[in-house]
Amino acid sequence: MKASLFYLAAALVVFLTGGHLYAQGGLVPAGTPGPQMKSLQQIWDLLETQQAQISTLEAEAAQHQASLVSLGTALGLQTRDLFELQTVDATANVGLYNSLAYGPDGRPAIAYYDSDNDDLKFARFNGSSWTIQVIDSAGDVGKYASLRFGADGQPAIAYWDDTSDDLKFARFNGTSWNLETVDAAGIVGTYASLAFAPNGDPSIAYVDSSNASAIKFARFNGVSWAIGNVGTTGTRLSLAFGPGGLPAISYVNLGFVRIARFDGAIWTFQPVENNPSGTTSLAFGVDGQPAIAYGRADGGGPGSYDMKVARYNGTTWSPQIVDLSSSENPALKFDPNGLPAISYSDITSSDLKSARYNGTTWRVDPVDTEVAPGILSSLAFAPDGRPAISYYSGVSLRFARATGAGFNP
């Protein structure tokens, strides 16, 4: 600090002496200083006094900021996520059935459906822009796209081939995409949901529409796909792996949100809550227990739905209202602190929203207020812990990334 003060003092001497810097001996001049002239010692003392005053003001400002935050908390004011919005692909009517994931390089990637060309597409951020590839264009392909990165660091996508009514799987090998048909027995592959088991094997939950919407589960064993029936029917699936590497599937059946869990030998089933609306989204918390996000009809008339998240405590399910606005189609993830977060569509205002749990309450933030109702979104957390969302705007594929915190009155 003294070195910087010395240079500042020297500059002041130049100014005070009319632009001339004279050689100095001791800090106290031989004669009495003139009325407009300060000794170096006086300048030094003045600067140190001002530095102390600045430090005091900075400490007071920090105290005032802390008091403001405390007051905001007491009044129900909360910091919120501020999102930067980007258009990823606007070449056609694109972005339906989008699925977002981060690769091991820390950069986002999105699988999605091109509605105009009936293609499966893949967009990946290279650090400055989005590169876009057509992965499959053979017929009408790409609906219900579900993207994940495997243990090898390469992306994989499960999706439905609407032309042949098959479940398909695309995987990148570092050079090219390999496409294969997983199941072609009947009309199979809608509501495809992909997840990797802890041992690195890809698994897919999906619906057999030609068999009363039976839920099926396919798992790759390193050589081929082993396919089986879960033992129930349903739609709007979401697959995740829980403790011990055992799969679970959330779904909608007979007016209930339900969950199917594999115990290593058989699938067991539980109802969670009635009157669901839109899709379901399943994730496991750090406590090893599942949570499911979904919209629920609240009895307020047509199109009136609450956004809810239900968490399991090992014995019972505890549904919690996140947003009383008519909302549906959530995407659920747990943040790096182990707290749940969702993206979803407010179908009344046609807005994309984000909600995060702080351990006590849910904080709801607007993300994009210029999107289409019934929007489908996908949520993921970047390596820096900030949420990101891919979504369909009604005509294009967009990407929203939280940039920091603001103050939300």
Side-chain angles (χ1 to χ4, degrees):
M1 181 183 75
K2 289 199 172 185
S4 61
L5 289 176
F6 174 79
Y7 291 121
L8 180 56
L12 286 172
V13 169
V14 172
F15 173 75
L16 293 173
T17 57
H20 301 285
L21 182 61
Y22 300 97
Q24 298 291 324
L27 288 175
V28 180
T32 303
Q36 302 301 321
M37 183 177 177
K38 301 278 186 190
S39 70
L40 284 177
Q41 185 64 56
Q42 288 173 315
I43 294 171
W44 194 293
D45 293 341
L46 178 61
L47 290 172
E48 287 194 327
T49 300
Q50 291 177 337
Q51 181 65 40
Q53 291 173 343
I54 291 171
S55 298
T56 300
L57 290 172
E58 287 176 342
E60 291 177 351
Q63 291 176 349
H64 289 314
Q65 179 65 25
S67 298
L68 180 61
V69 172
S70 297
L71 177 62
T73 301
L75 295 175
L77 310 180
Q78 301 177 46
T79 56
R80 65 184 178 91
D81 288 321
L82 302 177
F83 287 87
E84 178 186 61
L85 309 182
Q86 299 178 34
T87 297
V88 177
D89 189 349
T91 57
N93 184 18
V94 294
L96 271 172
Y97 305 106
N98 61 87
S99 182
L100 168 68
Y102 275 83
D105 59 359
R107 292 173 178 172
I110 309 168
Y112 58 102
Y113 176 60
D114 180 335
S115 303
D116 278 359
N117 297 299
D118 300 331
D119 294 341
L120 171 68
K121 300 180 80 173
F122 177 77
R124 191 163 188 177
F125 192 65
N126 62 17
S128 58
S129 61
W130 291 88
T131 58
I132 297 171
Q133 291 178 278
V134 175
I135 305 303
D136 193 347
S137 59
D140 186 355
V141 291
K143 295 175 182 176
Y144 303 103
S146 183
L147 168 69
R148 296 290 184 272
F149 280 84
D152 60 358
Q154 301 298 346
I157 309 167
Y159 59 102
W160 185 46
D161 182 334
D162 193 1
T163 298
S164 60
D165 293 323
D166 296 341
L167 172 67
K168 297 186 76 174
F169 180 72
R171 191 165 189 176
F172 193 63
N173 62 14
T175 304
S176 60
W177 287 88
N178 296 321
L179 312 182
E180 62 179 311
T181 297
V182 177
D183 191 349
I187 304 172
V188 290
T190 57
Y191 298 100
S193 181
L194 169 67
F196 279 86
N199 68 353
D201 290 340
S203 300
I204 310 169
Y206 58 102
V207 172
D208 181 347
S209 302
S210 58
N211 188 24
S213 296
I215 298 176
K216 300 181 78 172
F217 179 76
R219 185 163 180 172
F220 191 69
N221 59 20
V223 178
S224 60
W225 290 90
I227 299 172
N229 285 308
V230 171
T232 188
T233 60
T235 58
R236 306 169 195 175
L237 314 183
S238 181
L239 169 67
F241 280 87
L246 298 174
I249 306 167
S250 64
Y251 62 103
V252 172
N253 168 271
L254 298 176
F256 273 83
V257 175
R258 301 175 187 266
I259 187 170
R261 299 186 70 173
F262 191 65
D263 64 7
I266 62 171
W267 291 88
T268 61
F269 313 99
Q270 273 185 311
V272 177
E273 193 172 19
N274 64 353
N275 298 328
S277 172
T279 59
T280 69
S281 186
L282 169 68
F284 280 84
V286 293
D287 60 358
Q289 300 297 346
I292 305 173
Y294 53 95
R296 182 179 184 272
D298 63 9
S304 183
Y305 313 112
D306 297 335
M307 179 50 55
K308 305 191 78 171
V309 171
R311 297 191 70 174
Y312 192 63
N313 62 12
T315 306
T316 58
W317 287 90
S318 299
Q320 192 175 28
I321 293 176
V322 176
D323 193 342
L324 288 170
S325 299
S326 294
S327 306
E328 57 185 16
N329 299 332
L332 169 68
K333 290 288 188 300
F334 281 85
D335 71 16
N337 296 317
L339 297 173
I342 58 174
S343 63
Y344 60 99
S345 171
D346 183 330
I347 59 177
T348 300
S349 61
S350 300
D351 295 343
L352 174 67
K353 289 183 173 181
S354 165
R356 299 182 71 176
Y357 190 65
N358 62 14
T360 305
T361 59
W362 285 89
R363 183 195 72 225
V364 175
D365 298 327
V367 178
D368 192 338
T369 58
E370 299 179 357
V371 298
I375 183 175
L376 295 173
S377 67
S378 182
L379 170 69
F381 281 89
D384 62 7
R386 293 178 180 177
I389 305 167
S390 66
Y391 59 103
Y392 174 60
S393 72
V395 291
S396 63
L397 174 67
R398 293 188 187 179
F399 177 77
R401 170 84 187 274
T403 58
F407 200 70
N408 180 22

